[in-house]
């Protein structure tokens, strides 16, 4: 039976630390760290994420603004909002919720955000800094995974770490952070040959592909640590990860549940980045 890595509990601990630091910050500066969240269109999942981000800000004592723009918003209008937020002294962190509607250019928007306010760490300047290991902001989900490992006493140093998924938001930065932590890192994707065999070499397996229950017992070495970044909705409406939990849990040494694993950590790391930006 695997040890359950409780993302809700670890997240609550870190948020309470952030709240204390925020109190100290407000006392010494006379203003609160401020986060602006921009959402364009009606994507229901994005709307839930944005609501949760705003609520989390309130809980730790941040100032926050949500800018909900209609689907028809033009590139010029969105750029103008980013420019205004870049110049706004109350705002220390800016997050543009992805995906954007198809007619808008994500890269153009991300490039426009002041790198010092880029609390998602998606700007190429911050991505480059992550590559060379000199970072102020870490992308929230991979940073959340690293915090889960650290607070569970799991050190990637010298371990075989396998990441399934190569997205800019999770897979690629995840690989880089594990490498900085001295893991021996393999990144797998849809073209990887004999994926199951590669995964069975992993001491730490991080799964971020967005396919429900994809990783079964045949892909996991007994005693491995399994981190499930997936968040998929089944036909019956239930949330499920990328890992088949009931198959894998009996053979792993530690595993994150979905929900209640990596999910809560992502917003916690966003709060951390916003406090860093304000400082
Ligand atoms: N969409 C899904 N995950 C994220 C995230 O971490 N940040 C932003 N901005 N959009 C997302």
């Amino acid at each position: 039976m695997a040890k359950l890595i409780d993302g809700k509990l670890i997240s609550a601990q870190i948020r309470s630390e952030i709240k204390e630091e925020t109190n100290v910050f407000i006392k010494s500066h006379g203003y609160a760290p401020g986060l602006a969240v921009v959402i364009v269109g009606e994507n229901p999942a994005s709307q839930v994420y944005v609501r949760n981000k705003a609520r989390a800000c309130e809980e730790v004592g941040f100032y926050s603004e949500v800018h909900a723009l209609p689907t028809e918003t033009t590139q010029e209008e969105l750029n103008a909002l980013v420019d205004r937020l870049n110049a706004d002294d109350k705002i220390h962190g800016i997050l543009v919720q992805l995906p954007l509607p198809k007619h808008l250019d994500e890269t153009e928007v991300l490039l426009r955000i002041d790198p010092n306010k880029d609390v998602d760490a998606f700007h190429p300047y911050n991505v480059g800094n992550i590559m060379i290991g000199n970072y102020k902001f870490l992308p929230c989900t991979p940073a959340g995974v690293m915090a889960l490992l650290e607070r569970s006493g799991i050190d990637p140093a010298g371990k075989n770490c396998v990441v399934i998924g190569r997205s800019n938001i999770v897979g690629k930065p995840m690989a880089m952070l594990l490498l900085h932590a001295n893991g021996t890192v393999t990144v797998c994707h849809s073209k990887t040959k004999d994926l199951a065999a590669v995964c069975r070499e992993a001491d730490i397996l991080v799964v971020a592909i967005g396919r429900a229950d994809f990783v079964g017992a045949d892909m996991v070495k007994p005693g491995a640590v399994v981190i499930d970044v997936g968040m998929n909705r089944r036909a019956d409406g239930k949330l499920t990860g990328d890992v088949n939990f009931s198959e894998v849990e009996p053979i792993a040494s530690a595993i994150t549940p979905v929900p209640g694993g990596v999910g809560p950590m992502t917003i916690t790391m966003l709060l951390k980045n916003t406090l860093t930006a304000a400082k």
Side-chain angles (χ1 to χ4, degrees), residues 37-38 46 49-50 53 94-100 106 110 113 119-122 139-142 169-170 266-267 270:
V37 180
V38 179
S46 290
Y49 290 139
V50 166
K53 285 167 185 173
I94 302 170
L95 179 150
V96 176
Q97 187 67 29
L98 304 178
L100 290 170
E106 265 175 26
L110 297 180
I113 296 173
V119 284
D120 259 329
F122 290 169
C140 300
T141 300
I169 295 185
V170 183
T266 297
I267 295 184
L270 172 69

Side-chain angles (χ1 to χ4, degrees), residues 228-246:
D228 189 351
V229 183
M231 185 91 82
N232 313 290
R233 207 162 284 279
R234 284 209 197 104
D236 63 6
K238 271 181 83 173
L239 267 186
T240 182
D242 292 349
V243 175
N244 185 326
F245 187 88
S246 55

Side-chain angles (χ1 to χ4, degrees), residues 71-91:
T71 309
E72 319 74 70
T73 301
T74 64
Q75 187 80 43
E76 291 68 32
E77 287 167 332
L78 183 56
N79 289 349
L81 173 60
V82 170
D83 291 347
R84 271 209 314 282
L85 295 171
N86 279 341
D88 187 337
D89 289 340
K90 292 192 303 301
I91 298 301

Side-chain angles (χ1 to χ4, degrees), residues 4 169 187 209 264-265 270 272:
L4 210 62
I169 295 185
V187 183
I209 42 170
M265 295 297 289
L270 172 69
K272 198 168 170 192

